[in-house]
Amino acid sequence: MPQASLLDQHGSELFGPHNLPYGVFGTPGDPARRIGVRVGDVVLDAAAAARAVGDEAVAALLDHPVLNPLMAAGRPAWERVRAAVGRWLTAPELYDAVAPLVRPLDSVELHLPFEVADYVDFYASEHHATTVGRLFRPDGDALTPNWKHLPIGYHGRAGSVVVSGTDVVRPAGQRKGVDDPSPVFGPCARLDFEAEVGFVVGAGSPAGVPVSQQAFPEHVFGVCLVNDWSARDIQAWEYVPLGPFLAKSFATSVSPWVVPLPALEAARVAPPERDTPLLPYLDDAALPAWGLDLRLEVRLNGHSLSRPPFSAMYWTAAQQLAHLTVNGAALRTGDLFASGTVSGPGAHERGCLLEMTANGRDPLSLPDGSARGFLQDGDVVTVTAWAPGPDGTRVGFGEVTGRVLPARVP
Amino acid sequence: MPQASLLDQHGSELFGPHNLPYGVFGTPGDPARRIGVRVGDVVLDAAAAARAVGDEAVAALLDHPVLNPLMAAGRPAWERVRAAVGRWLTAPELYDAVAPLVRPLDSVELHLPFEVADYVDFYASEHHATTVGRLFRPDGDALTPNWKHLPIGYHGRAGSVVVSGTDVVRPAGQRKGVDDPSPVFGPCARLDFEAEVGFVVGAGSPAGVPVSQQAFPEHVFGVCLVNDWSARDIQAWEYVPLGPFLAKSFATSVSPWVVPLPALEAARVAPPERDTPLLPYLDDAALPAWGLDLRLEVRLNGHSLSRPPFSAMYWTAAQQLAHLTVNGAALRTGDLFASGTVSGPGAHERGCLLEMTANGRDPLSLPDGSARGFLQDGDVVTVTAWAPGPDGTRVGFGEVTGRVLPARVP
């Protein structure tokens, strides 16, 4: 009787042949970083598998400690590798060669999957931007006049991007209450998370040449989850006029698995109706839709806080890519752009505590009897997501998680 | 009769033994990038010199296509290499070995000297911030309430940092005049430069551990010139609430020579009197002064526009470094932080056209009879600088220059 295929053996609904996300892992016995593909709850050592089946061309793309060389190789190479991995996992004649190269997920250490070039954070949820605008600028319009004309974004600190599971030290910094005569220094008192979705640029583009929305799948390699940790009190004091700086730059966590863009074909949906005409480079009315039906969930210490729907985002990632390059900015392999906090219209669809608690005024009650306006030391924040896959399946993103450590202030 | 030393032969007042800046060069016959040291108007092939004199340990630090490995090695290594270079250039017995390894400056191509990790741009000139505040926010206070409490900064696009001499394509983007009913798209109509000074981080620091002002010379490898090209019309429309984005991210030019920090000992001066008490991590009243007496000059098509004094900057680079890490943000080798536009109080001490022309209202008259509110296609902007050196000498920075090419809009 022939062996079962590796997919039959290990594949799950969330991590089956339709998903095959990439990550970077090591093991206690062999800590060298190498590329892995997740199947169910195991990790396939991808370059070793390529060599085991004699596919040297694919092995050359995979035999690296980060995804960047594969990402830089461009879409035809991504398709070739994805097809090859699917073949290794299903062909009965390859079972004996490949089966020894899987490791249980709980036996490996997962690392940052790619070297981040530039990190950009957008602000694409109308619900989030409206709520935040009301809280931070109570005397003005909730949305700034530019908000529906362009996807607002800013550059974050690429060197502070860390992989899920990395502890986050509570930042210290300046804050100033409206009634304080001058700022005070100390640990952030309003530490927050932001549940976001990140888009990872594979193929770069030269300076001076804008990238159109249509070229989105030629440049974006895949999608991950992001927690953009935020110090709200530091942010409120520092952000006028040049934007958030230290309130964000201490840590940004990303999930260890990058879901290939083709795995999300079945999740593509029309974005929400836009009520403001768009300039041609942003207009997507006549283009294939790049809204994405990702269902996020935010948990605090294991307790589910909310289920933000990514499909409610006003701006798509294709629009964000077109905007960020329309001035001629070059793309580099490893550029990461995140969506901004994912928040839907519902009370249980908000992606950060700032919104859930009205800037701390209405604390959440947790099942253990405690209350949270903002995060306490020791809190563990976890964001997970899934998307519809083909034929009634689902595509899993795994999770991005992190624990808050106390500030290190003398 | 003994040979003259290489310094006697080539050294100049601006580029003598007290300076010895590092860059990366190639030649038409051997385009491979390698580290060079500038002496007068020649470039010494540094790794080749180290090997020629048998200094293999120093050669290992210098034999790279970028400065990053040397920068990462830390201050004791920087001192060792600097001392070695000085020895090679002066010891008569090394003349025959080293002399063949110099190239005329006009025969080499200069490249980006280091790989940029994160790029941060500050806003440290009180004169600049006051003038810009009046222009952009005529109904509010010129300085925002936080300005004298912390050095305001934001992250820019590291991937858009280019070496002096790189042409800059005029960006296109959205702008909206106050009376326009909706934004329009097109080439930037208010393209500007910003004359700045950049600080290059050599030795990194771990996440969670702030870097004090006292540790500034342990982390900062050297200093370069920066032109932070700016699209004022794009900036005015996009920058609320998250700061400048596409108005800056198309290009930032840096000089090809990084002046080692120890070359600026004689240029250290007290910063201007501060009229607002500072929190302890920023207070430098009792610390060695890190104001720097750099004399900048801005030229447009060869015509001198202004001489901005860096000594007038309200915030020092040591304060900026302490601020950018006080939240626990890690430093990486190759981090670049720039001062913000250098502007002094005088009419001919301003570092950008926005200030010189009151946002285009009072155009400059150039010697060729033309006028400039902002930059025209074909304009060449050049920023140079020097600082006092030891014993009445001067330390040259060379220049950062770039030409504006027309926008590429279909």
Side-chain angles (χ1 to χ4, degrees):
Chain A
M1 173 180 162
Q3 299 280 6
S5 80
L6 280 168
L7 269 171
D8 292 340
Q9 199 174 343
H10 296 292
S12 66
E13 185 210 358
L14 290 167
F15 294 97
H18 53 287
N19 190 347
L20 303 180
Y22 296 99
V24 168
F25 76 102
T27 60
D30 183 2
R33 297 185 184 207
R34 47 205 194 274
I35 293 175
V37 174
R38 179 168 176 182
V39 184
D41 289 329
V42 301
V43 181
L44 174 68
D45 186 331
R51 285 192 303 265
V53 305
D55 197 340
E56 292 302 326
V58 169
L61 292 165
L62 292 170
D63 200 3
H64 302 283
V66 287
L67 292 172
N68 296 56
L70 170 62
M71 286 159 44
R75 191 179 174 188
W78 308 339
E79 291 175 349
R80 193 160 67 244
V81 172
R82 186 166 162 78
V85 173
R87 204 163 53 240
W88 308 336
L89 294 171
T90 50
E93 69 275 17
L94 300 179
Y95 181 90
D96 288 342
V98 177
L101 302 173
V102 300
R103 304 275 176 273
L105 191 57
D106 59 12
S107 74
V108 307
E109 185 178 5
L110 295 168
H111 298 287
L112 195 62
F114 56 97
E115 187 180 352
V116 183
D118 271 301
Y119 167 51
V120 168
D121 193 26
F122 283 98
Y123 190 55
S125 161
E126 181 177 1
H127 311 289
H128 172 71
T130 301
T131 306
V132 171
R134 286 199 187 110
L135 290 168
F136 273 31
R137 293 176 295 280
D139 302 329
D141 290 335
L143 291 181
T144 51
N146 52 11
W147 200 92
K148 291 204 168 176
H149 292 281
L150 53 82
I152 291 177
Y154 67 101
H155 283 90
R157 190 162 183 82
S160 294
V161 176
V162 296
V163 72
S164 176
T166 306
D167 291 333
V168 173
V169 176
R170 179 183 297 270
Q174 293 195 23
R175 60 174 181 272
K176 182 177 170 298
V178 283
D179 298 326
D180 292 338
S182 59
V184 297
F185 182 85
C188 167
R190 294 175 179 258
L191 184 62
D192 201 354
F193 54 81
E194 294 192 334
E196 306 197 7
V197 174
F199 295 82
V200 185
V201 171
S205 66
V209 183
V211 174
S212 70
Q213 290 188 69
Q214 291 95 316
F216 175 73
E218 306 302 320
H219 291 277
V220 170
F221 174 77
V223 183
C224 63
L225 300 177
V226 176
N227 180 351
D228 182 37
W229 303 90
S230 298
R232 301 301 183 189
D233 42 2
I234 295 173
Q235 185 175 353
W237 171 233
E238 75 173 0
Y239 89 106
V240 175
L242 299 187
F245 183 40
L246 300 190
K248 303 283 194 169
S249 66
F250 57 99
T252 303
S253 301
V254 298
S255 60
W257 299 108
V258 179
V259 174
L261 200 63
L264 299 174
E265 272 303 308
R268 294 175 62 175
V269 293
E273 191 87 12
R274 278 67 172 258
D275 51 20
T276 300
L278 294 177
L279 287 164
Y281 78 98
L282 290 173
D283 191 355
D284 59 358
L287 298 178
W290 273 112
L292 287 171
D293 182 17
L294 314 188
R295 324 280 178 94
L296 278 63
E297 182 177 8
V298 181
R299 294 199 298 263
L300 177 60
N301 302 335
H303 170 65
S304 178
L305 293 184
S306 70
R307 296 179 184 273
F310 192 71
S311 59
M313 301 299 271
Y314 194 86
W315 297 102
T316 72
Q319 289 174 314
Q320 291 167 341
L321 187 73
H323 186 62
L324 94 82
T325 60
V326 76
N327 67 344
L331 294 177
R332 291 185 295 169
T333 299
D335 282 349
L336 169 67
F337 61 100
S339 60
T341 306
V342 182
S343 290
H348 298 284
E349 296 184 336
R350 294 164 180 165
C352 62
L353 286 173
L354 177 71
E355 290 178 78
M356 294 180 197
T357 71
N359 199 16
R361 285 198 295 271
D362 306 322
L364 299 178
S365 296
L366 297 185
D368 66 3
S370 66
R372 289 292 183 288
F374 288 96
L375 294 173
Q376 295 184 356
D377 293 341
D379 278 350
V380 176
V381 178
T382 305
V383 181
T384 63
W386 61 270
D391 307 321
T393 60
R394 296 191 299 161
V395 175
F397 281 77
E399 66 179 31
V400 56
T401 190
R403 179 187 303 270
V404 177
L405 298 188
R408 294 187 193 145
V409 175
Chain B
M1 173 179 162
Q3 298 280 6
S5 81
L6 279 168
L7 269 172
D8 292 340
Q9 198 173 343
H10 296 294
S12 66
E13 185 210 358
L14 289 167
F15 294 96
H18 52 288
N19 190 347
L20 303 180
Y22 295 100
V24 168
F25 76 102
T27 60
D30 183 2
R33 295 183 186 209
R34 48 205 192 275
I35 293 175
V37 173
R38 180 168 175 182
V39 183
D41 288 330
V42 300
V43 181
L44 173 68
D45 186 331
R51 285 193 304 265
V53 305
D55 196 341
E56 292 303 325
V58 169
L61 292 165
L62 292 169
D63 200 3
H64 302 284
V66 288
L67 292 173
N68 296 58
L70 170 62
M71 286 159 44
R75 190 180 174 189
W78 308 338
E79 291 175 349
R80 193 161 66 244
V81 172
R82 186 166 162 78
V85 173
R87 203 163 54 238
W88 307 336
L89 294 171
T90 49
E93 70 275 17
L94 299 179
Y95 181 90
D96 288 342
V98 177
L101 301 173
V102 299
R103 305 273 176 274
L105 191 57
D106 60 11
S107 75
V108 308
E109 185 178 4
L110 295 168
H111 298 287
L112 194 62
F114 57 98
E115 188 180 350
V116 184
D118 272 299
Y119 167 50
V120 167
D121 193 26
F122 282 98
Y123 191 51
S125 160
E126 180 177 2
H127 310 289
H128 172 72
T130 301
T131 306
V132 172
R134 286 199 186 110
L135 290 168
F136 273 32
R137 293 177 296 278
D139 302 327
D141 290 334
L143 291 182
T144 50
N146 51 11
W147 200 92
K148 291 205 168 175
H149 292 281
L150 52 81
I152 291 176
Y154 67 101
H155 284 89
R157 190 164 183 82
S160 292
V161 176
V162 296
V163 73
S164 175
T166 307
D167 291 333
V168 172
V169 176
R170 179 183 296 271
Q174 293 196 23
R175 61 174 181 272
K176 182 177 171 298
V178 282
D179 299 325
D180 291 339
S182 59
V184 298
F185 182 85
C188 167
R190 293 175 180 258
L191 183 62
D192 202 355
F193 55 81
E194 293 191 335
E196 306 197 7
V197 174
F199 295 82
V200 184
V201 171
S205 67
V209 183
V211 174
S212 69
Q213 291 189 68
Q214 290 94 318
F216 176 73
E218 307 302 320
H219 291 277
V220 169
F221 174 76
V223 183
C224 63
L225 300 177
V226 176
N227 180 351
D228 182 37
W229 303 90
S230 299
R232 302 299 184 190
D233 42 1
I234 295 173
Q235 184 174 353
W237 171 233
E238 75 174 359
Y239 89 106
V240 176
L242 300 187
F245 182 40
L246 300 190
K248 304 282 194 168
S249 67
F250 56 99
T252 304
S253 302
V254 297
S255 59
W257 299 108
V258 179
V259 174
L261 199 63
L264 298 175
E265 273 302 309
R268 293 174 65 175
V269 292
E273 192 87 11
R274 280 66 172 259
D275 51 20
T276 300
L278 294 177
L279 286 164
Y281 78 98
L282 290 173
D283 191 355
D284 60 359
L287 298 178
W290 273 112
L292 287 171
D293 181 19
L294 315 187
R295 325 280 178 95
L296 278 64
E297 182 177 7
V298 181
R299 294 198 298 262
L300 176 60
N301 302 333
H303 170 65
S304 179
L305 293 184
S306 70
R307 296 178 185 273
F310 192 71
S311 58
M313 301 299 270
Y314 194 85
W315 297 102
T316 71
Q319 289 173 314
Q320 291 168 342
L321 186 72
H323 186 62
L324 94 80
T325 59
V326 76
N327 67 344
L331 294 176
R332 290 186 296 169
T333 299
D335 282 350
L336 169 67
F337 61 100
S339 59
T341 306
V342 182
S343 290
H348 297 285
E349 297 184 336
R350 293 164 180 165
C352 64
L353 286 173
L354 178 70
E355 290 177 78
M356 293 180 198
T357 70
N359 199 14
R361 283 197 298 271
D362 305 320
L364 300 178
S365 296
L366 298 185
D368 67 1
S370 66
R372 290 291 184 289
F374 288 96
L375 294 172
Q376 294 184 356
D377 293 342
D379 279 349
V380 176
V381 178
T382 304
V383 181
T384 63
W386 61 270
D391 306 321
T393 59
R394 296 191 300 161
V395 176
F397 282 76
E399 64 179 31
V400 56
T401 189
R403 179 187 303 270
V404 177
L405 297 188
R408 295 188 193 141
V409 176

